[in-house]
Amino acid sequence: MFHVDFPGKNELHGSVHGLSELSRSPPDGYTFMVAGMAPFVTAPHLMRVQYDAVRDLEPISLVVRAAKVLVVPTASPHRNLSDFISWKRANPGSASFASAGNGSSDHLTAELFWQETRTTGIHIPYRGGAPAVTAVLGGEVNALFMSINAVMPHIQSGRLRPLVISSATRSSALPQVPTLMEQGVNFTSYSWQGFASPRGIPAEARRRMHELLSATLRNPEMHSRLTQQGLEIVLSTPEEFATFQQSEFSRWKQIIETRKIVGD
């Protein structure tokens, strides 16, 4: 079974260690790893790592991605993004945002949101996504950007209200929720999972693994399970993944440096 997870910041160190071990493994075509975006593109800008994320890894495929949803408790008076931004501007620095930790993808998305909307917020990092969601559910924090699959059950139960989604187009899982770009906030943001091996594996091994990934993700049961959670199946070519990784590496480096973000 192919399992997809989007770890919080408290799990980042394990992912970084895993990618470090992968980079030092023999390129024999038998060692592969699936990991989230952090060890591929953001961790090198937030902490000391023992690998070069761009040069030491052989990209196989970008597998899936998950858009971020800006959610508030259902008790919140804010019912849409325009209202929320107006309140933030009228009360600068008063809106609190939870995240899975300093430098996590939800933290970075919030920082990008503040930058693009020219607003400010109070960042409250938690040790992982689950406690961050719990804090918003309990009304301890005003809002949260979180991957759609993590907040979908709480949206469906009516405990969280989605204001906007960070994807390029509306999600089929939440068709009523507008995108940031529809609302005049010009950026997209995703958590994602990529599949890689040590640099220099045989071309045939890379081809066979890509075929296996493709067959797994196109299995009707697997496809249904992932899309029901709001996940988008990408399944890129190795060349597409390499280009995407380099673009993301540069993009988040700029945000981390501009916003002076420090990891846990």
Side-chain angles (χ1 to χ4, degrees), residues 50-133:
Q50 303 301 314
Y51 59 91
D52 186 303
V54 174
R55 292 184 299 183
D56 292 346
L57 304 171
E58 186 84 41
I60 304 299
S61 180
L62 177 61
V63 183
V64 294
R65 65 183 186 179
K68 298 290 184 179
V69 184
L70 176 60
V71 294
V72 296
T74 51
S76 169
H78 309 301
R79 307 196 69 84
N80 55 60
L81 184 64
S82 177
D83 173 55
F84 185 62
I85 291 177
S86 295
W87 172 72
K88 280 169 55 61
R89 287 177 174 158
N91 301 274
S94 61
S96 55
F97 282 69
S99 83
N102 289 311
S104 60
S105 58
D106 21 301
H107 176 204
L108 297 178
T109 301
E111 293 281 353
L112 189 51
F113 175 72
W114 297 331
Q115 176 177 287
E116 293 298 317
T117 58
R118 298 183 181 180
T119 59
T120 59
I122 302 169
H123 173 226
I124 302 179
Y126 289 83
R127 295 186 63 81
V133 172

Side-chain angles (χ1 to χ4, degrees), residues 5-6 12 37 47 55 62 109 119 129 159-160:
D5 187 27
F6 289 88
L12 172 60
M37 63 178 280
M47 64 179 65
R55 292 184 299 183
L62 177 61
T109 301
T119 59
R159 300 181 68 194
L160 289 178

Side-chain angles (χ1 to χ4, degrees), residues 12 16 37-49 51-54 245 249 256:
L12 172 60
V16 167
M37 63 178 280
F40 281 113
V41 301
T42 59
H45 310 306
L46 295 165
M47 64 179 65
R48 187 183 300 276
V49 299
Y51 59 91
D52 186 303
V54 174
Q245 183 197 3
F249 189 89
I256 289 166

